[in-house]
């Protein structure tokens, strides 16, 4: 499963580099594309920061509930029980 994910990431990386090189040959930059669709690199960074700022507290709260539940279930499993 990990190999499939890594293979997919590698293919995506190679494809992105190839498309980026092709667009660069036509003098098209990422900043131009973002500006044409109404974004700036600063706006995207702000959006990412806001997203992380929203998600991190929710993630931690969920982990505070789920980790003890998982631990109890893990400790109460009969020996030798495998899925």
């Amino acid at each position: 499963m990990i190999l499939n994910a890594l293979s997919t990431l590698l293919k995506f990386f190679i494809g992105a580099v190839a498309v980026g090189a092709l667009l660069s040959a036509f003098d098209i930059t990422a900043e131009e594309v973002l500006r044409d669709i109404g974004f700036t690199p600063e706006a995207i960074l702000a959006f990412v920061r806001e997203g992380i700022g929203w998600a991190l507290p929710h993630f931690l709260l969920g982990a505070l509930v789920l980790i003890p539940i998982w631990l109890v279930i893990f400790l109460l499993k009969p020996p030798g029980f495998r899925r």
Side-chain angles (χ1 to χ4, degrees):
M1 183 160 164
I2 284 283
L3 290 177
N4 287 339
L6 290 176
S7 172
T8 301
L9 284 175
L10 180 64
K11 290 175 188 176
F12 179 79
F13 178 78
I14 291 171
V17 169
V19 170
L22 181 68
L23 291 174
S24 180
F26 290 107
D27 291 326
I28 298 173
T29 65
E31 289 179 0
E32 290 174 355
V33 173
L34 289 173
R35 187 175 52 241
D36 287 345
I37 60 174
F39 288 116
T40 63
E42 293 81 18
I44 292 174
L45 280 175
F47 182 70
V48 168
R49 283 189 193 120
E50 288 174 14
I52 291 172
W54 175 86
L56 189 59
H58 291 86
F59 171 79
L60 292 174
L61 182 61
L64 285 173
V65 172
L66 292 177
I67 289 175
I69 292 171
W70 172 83
L71 185 61
V72 168
I73 291 171
F74 178 77
L75 291 174
L76 293 179
K77 268 196 295 189
F81 180 77
R82 293 179 191 230
R83 286 188 151 189

